[in-house]
Amino acid sequence: MTGQRSAEAPAEDPAGPEGPPSDDLSLLAELHGVATSYQPSADRTVTASAAALTLALAALDIDAGTPRAVAAARAARERELRERLLPPTVVSWSGAEPEALAALPSGTRLRIETEQGQTHTVVAQLPPGVHRLTAAAPDGRTATSHLVVAPPRLPTPTGRSYGLLVQLYSLLSRRSWGMGDLGDLTELAAWAGRALGAGFVQVNPLHAAVPGAPTDPSPYRPSSRRFPDPVHLRVEDVPEFAYVEDRERVRALLERAGRLREAVLEKGELIDRDAVWAAKREALELVREVPLGPGRRAAYVDFLAREGQALEDHATWCALAEVHGPDWPRWPQGLQDPRSPETARARGELMDRVDFHCRLAWLTDGQLTEAQRVAREAGMPVGIVHDLAVGVHPGGADAWAQQEYFAAGMSVGAPPDAFNARGQDWGLPPWRPDRLAESGYEPYRRLLRALFRYAGALRIDHVMGLFRLWWVPQGQPPTEGTYVRYDAEAMLAILVLEASRAGAVVIGEDLGTVEPGVRETLRSRGVLGTSVLWFERDWDGDGRPLPPDSWRADCLATATTHDLPSTAARLTGDHVELRHGLGLLARPLEQERAEAAADTGEWLELLSRLRLLRGSHGGHCASEEEAEIQAVHRFLLRTPARMVGVWLPDGVGDRRPQNLPGTWDQYPNWRLPIADAEGRAVTLEELAGSARLRALVEVLRAGAGAGAGAGAGGAGTEAGAVGRG
């Protein structure tokens, strides 16, 4: 996750202003999935405060403000659970009898209406999908529920694939408009698949951002997860761009784009997302004046019909944000409700702008689809790995359009732990588990379906959120939060269903503190985990680096991520100096240096013992650092990991992290181009010609075995066919 972390001593257990909860309040909380305690470590339990439980229940529309209200709410909940025939959503794995149905009274009649419009009376042999289940008990009670029928698990990748990890905005080519775009992604995928034998390219979330001045550059706090951001469009690849009549304005815009590109590549300036979008928006306004041809018009109409209400809501929010600003809780009262007469009237008045934003969504969807098509044609068995952020901005389009599904007054975060004594508040409103279940997880289903249309695989940030999330009441510190549980079986069933329909791989980001059983459950359903070299130690034993044969197989293994130091920075200790220069160290510099050097030294000792360093394998490296980076990746290939990822900046010795947790204005998070060891920006064209990057990839190709060569095709289109050798 992209949350902020710092190394500080753990805080004392928070008890809250009202002290520990009463037994009745605790029982009521548990009946609604609100946790009464959590364990930051195996030997320590922290009790949630009465205030935290009360506020979390209030966000679920449960009054727990007085002892009498608690008693009444508890009695009502117990009666509801006792008398109901079915929960709102029932899960069946491949037609197996769900426990909820086995518990029905003898003689209960079932009627199932499938997605395909068929009617059944038994669950066995139902097709995958989300169906409508009606139960009628002999005593006259009836119930209607959503029945999710999903395959028991996603196919396990049968071979190994290796690929590149990159933050798309940081990947500039000589055709970019000041930041990496979908044209660059398409070029990277074609080159990596054909010339490097790579099986995938993983990118950061490309969700729609909240517009503003300045726009929040973090891709992990989007306006919408359902729709992509048009800032990533390659304007020249829009067919209508060639037919814009005002060629003088086109020339001026291309010159402006060139200046933005040169500022980053030649002058060392930061990526200016707002300036890039201002230029692209002006160009796209011109493009929209060009009439669509009959075929293009038909494709656009199909897109509008397919996306329906969700797209109309998103485009309406974008149009209203142009008038009233991007924070919808500050809009006029009537416009705060997406279904109000005032909003309907405003939509009509702004229909031209609504159509413009619908058009942008269509164009972006098309270029995303094209990138995946090109990746597969280049021989990539997986293709583009997209990233699903854990939540959305509270003032953005999704939070406005789907208000009934979000917990008002709450934010997602993390409890205090050994890394952050104050806990974390990520500023993202959580979904309400009760409303999701009542809807058959409709917004979650539609979100996944939209992403899987152009994703060969999906990385899920903070995948533990499928099980529980730390809810922080607004205005309170993160210590005053508590965990709220989700129906993990239903969340996983929907995920497996939609991924299997798309033939896609799913990768869960499960780094950090994970409650017992979560990784095992994910693995049993075919969801891969994430393993980062520097964190893989024998924590239950001597704490030393974990040998390769002790790693798990069902994972994406990498040397680093966007939130961590590059491999070169970690090997040289530059990451310590960076944090020291920004005043972020909690301990003396020499102590931090010594600890970092010891950590790195233990890994280098293991690499040497395994004969993975230069000297054991021969070959030529330009520097000791380059040899060590290659050895790190040889090590990853020694593990049984099914997917091995190379952080693209590692291929040219980049020293700077893309994001430095614990900073805001002190460090240019999410605004740096890929650079070499001296900090000079490196273009996509230069990456393709880099001898250092080629040498690193040759390590992977050699380790992957025969068949991983250039242009090697995948073994099929299913999620299980990710091997290249």
Side-chain angles (χ1 to χ4, degrees):
M1 176 55 197
T2 58
Q4 309 302 309
R5 300 198 133 204
S6 60
E8 301 180 23
E12 296 182 0
D13 296 354
E18 299 178 18
S22 66
D23 290 343
D24 282 347
L25 179 58
S26 294
L27 288 170
L28 175 62
E30 291 170 356
L31 287 170
H32 286 279
V34 179
T36 59
S37 65
Y38 72 97
Q39 287 188 293
S41 59
D43 59 348
R44 181 166 170 257
T45 299
V46 178
T47 300
S49 69
L53 300 187
T54 301
L55 290 169
L57 287 166
L60 296 171
D61 297 329
I62 308 299
D63 181 7
T66 65
R68 178 175 294 182
V70 169
R74 177 184 168 190
R77 181 61 170 171
E78 289 174 339
R79 182 170 59 253
E80 175 194 351
L81 295 175
R82 185 172 59 251
E83 295 178 356
R84 78 180 185 186
L85 281 179
L86 294 171
T89 294
V90 176
V91 171
S92 170
W93 298 100
S94 280
E97 185 80 356
E99 291 183 9
L101 299 190
L104 290 171
S106 178
T108 297
R109 298 189 309 276
L110 300 180
R111 185 174 186 274
I112 305 161
E113 299 174 33
T114 69
E115 283 185 346
Q116 296 76 20
Q118 301 170 332
T119 301
H120 293 257
T121 57
V122 294
V123 175
Q125 298 181 345
L126 280 173
V130 181
H131 312 306
R132 196 72 172 166
L133 168 66
T134 301
D139 60 9
R141 288 180 297 157
T142 62
T144 301
S145 180
H146 304 274
L147 175 62
V148 181
V149 178
R153 58 171 288 129
L154 292 169
T156 299
T158 54
R160 160 167 288 171
S161 62
Y162 59 87
L164 305 176
L165 283 59
V166 64
Q167 300 282 288
L168 180 56
Y169 59 83
S170 72
L171 180 70
L172 280 76
S173 71
R174 289 294 174 184
R175 296 179 179 177
S176 306
W177 286 32
M179 62 181 283
D181 60 33
L182 292 172
D184 297 320
L185 176 59
T186 303
E187 287 284 352
L188 176 68
W191 170 68
R194 296 180 186 278
L196 304 183
F200 62 91
V201 171
Q202 178 179 304
V203 295
N204 54 287
L206 303 183
H207 309 317
V210 178
T215 300
D216 184 345
S218 172
Y220 290 92
R221 203 164 180 246
S223 171
S224 173
R225 297 189 294 175
R226 172 75 182 274
F227 295 99
D229 198 313
V231 75
H232 300 113
L233 280 169
R234 170 66 64 82
V235 175
E236 295 93 326
D237 288 350
V238 177
E240 290 72 31
F241 183 71
Y243 301 99
V244 172
E245 292 184 357
D246 192 342
R247 304 315 298 175
E248 188 61 37
R249 286 187 66 187
V250 167
R251 280 192 293 273
L253 282 168
L254 292 175
E255 290 174 1
R256 184 170 159 193
R259 290 192 295 272
L260 290 170
R261 178 173 58 248
E262 291 170 8
V264 177
L265 296 178
E266 308 296 340
K267 301 178 181 179
E269 296 184 14
L270 298 176
I271 292 169
D272 188 341
R273 184 194 184 283
D274 291 332
V276 172
W277 175 233
K280 288 190 177 182
R281 185 180 61 231
E282 186 174 335
L284 292 165
E285 297 277 9
L286 293 175
V287 166
R288 185 167 170 262
E289 296 175 5
V290 177
L292 295 174
R296 293 274 289 167
R297 168 61 62 180
Y300 179 45
V301 170
D302 283 351
F303 179 79
L304 294 174
R306 186 185 75 193
E307 299 303 323
Q309 183 72 58
L311 176 59
E312 185 175 89
D313 285 343
H314 175 73
T316 298
W317 181 91
C318 292
L320 289 170
E322 291 178 341
V323 178
H324 300 286
D327 188 12
W328 67 264
R330 297 179 181 271
W331 292 355
Q333 188 68 36
L335 299 180
Q336 294 179 22
D337 179 359
R339 306 289 169 254
S340 71
E342 292 89 343
T343 298
R345 185 164 52 251
R347 181 184 296 116
E349 295 169 351
L350 296 170
M351 187 52 67
D352 183 68
R353 301 309 300 164
V354 172
D355 180 71
F356 175 67
H357 292 289
C358 286
R359 185 82 63 93
L360 295 184
W362 173 58
L363 294 174
T364 313
D365 182 90
Q367 290 194 7
L368 284 163
T369 302
E370 175 69 4
Q372 174 63 1
R373 184 191 67 79
V374 169
R376 296 303 297 269
E377 286 188 354
M380 287 188 172
V382 176
I384 310 300
V385 182
H386 284 278
D387 198 347
L388 175 61
V390 71
V392 296
H393 193 286
D398 283 2
W400 176 73
Q402 303 174 10
Q403 291 175 50
E404 66 270 30
Y405 295 109
F406 288 100
M410 289 288 159
S411 175
V412 175
D417 58 22
F419 294 95
N420 195 316
R422 294 180 295 274
Q424 302 174 44
D425 183 346
W426 301 331
L428 311 170
W431 264 337
R432 285 182 54 160
D434 56 337
R435 296 277 175 82
L436 285 178
E438 290 164 4
S439 73
Y441 294 83
E442 182 178 8
Y444 176 53
R445 279 189 281 142
R446 292 185 180 278
L447 168 62
L448 293 175
R449 198 170 301 166
L451 293 171
F452 280 129
R453 274 200 301 271
Y454 46 73
L458 186 64
R459 174 193 181 270
I460 299 182
D461 192 40
H462 193 70
V463 72
M464 297 81 79
L466 299 180
F467 295 75
R468 65 178 185 176
L469 284 172
W470 184 258
W471 286 20
V472 180
Q474 288 181 4
Q476 299 294 321
T479 52
E480 274 303 299
T482 189
Y483 277 113
V484 175
R485 289 208 164 273
Y486 293 76
D487 185 342
E489 184 179 42
M491 298 286 278
L492 275 173
I494 296 292
L495 177 61
V496 170
L497 171 65
E498 296 299 340
S500 63
R501 282 171 160 170
V505 175
V506 177
I507 304 162
E509 186 271 294
D510 56 355
L511 302 174
T513 303
V514 183
E515 64 177 322
V518 166
R519 287 194 174 103
E520 293 76 10
T521 299
L522 292 170
R523 185 173 64 247
S524 72
R525 299 301 177 192
V527 178
L528 303 182
T530 301
S531 294
V532 178
L533 181 126
W534 309 99
F535 298 157
E536 293 295 316
R537 289 176 171 268
D538 183 10
W539 299 114
D540 295 326
D542 58 12
R544 294 187 63 80
L546 203 62
D549 56 1
S550 296
W551 283 44
R552 55 182 171 171
D554 297 316
C555 74
L556 165 64
T558 69
T560 189
T561 74
H562 58 269
D563 277 335
L564 297 172
S566 69
T567 305
R570 194 177 288 273
L571 290 169
T572 59
D574 283 5
H575 64 302
V576 175
E577 304 302 324
L578 174 62
R579 294 185 66 85
H580 171 66
L582 295 172
L584 298 175
L585 298 183
R587 296 176 296 178
L589 175 60
E590 290 307 317
Q591 184 179 349
E592 293 278 359
R593 281 175 175 162
E595 184 173 304
D599 179 88
T600 302
E602 288 182 350
W603 279 103
L604 290 175
E605 190 276 330
L606 177 58
L607 296 177
S608 179
R609 181 154 40 89
L610 294 173
R611 300 180 62 79
L612 299 176
L613 285 165
R614 185 180 58 173
S616 300
H617 286 259
H620 174 72
C621 291
S623 66
E624 181 180 355
E625 172 196 299
E626 188 177 344
E628 291 171 349
I629 291 176
Q630 290 183 12
V632 163
H633 289 85
R634 288 192 187 97
F635 179 93
L636 294 178
L637 288 172
R638 283 281 188 95
T639 74
R642 302 190 185 281
M643 298 177 73
V644 175
V646 178
W647 178 237
L648 188 55
D650 274 348
V652 288
D654 201 343
R655 295 292 198 273
R656 305 174 300 182
Q658 284 293 317
N659 178 49
L660 186 58
T663 64
W664 181 249
D665 293 332
Q666 311 100 303
Y667 187 79
N669 296 317
W670 319 112
R671 289 173 287 170
L672 294 170
I674 295 175
D676 60 19
E678 286 71 44
R680 184 187 67 84
V682 177
T683 66
L684 172 58
E685 293 85 354
E686 290 170 326
L687 283 166
S690 168
R692 176 169 177 164
L693 177 58
R694 284 273 186 168
L696 178 57
V697 172
E698 284 303 319
V699 167
L700 296 169
R701 296 177 71 166
T717 59
E718 294 185 358
V722 299
R724 301 221 51 181

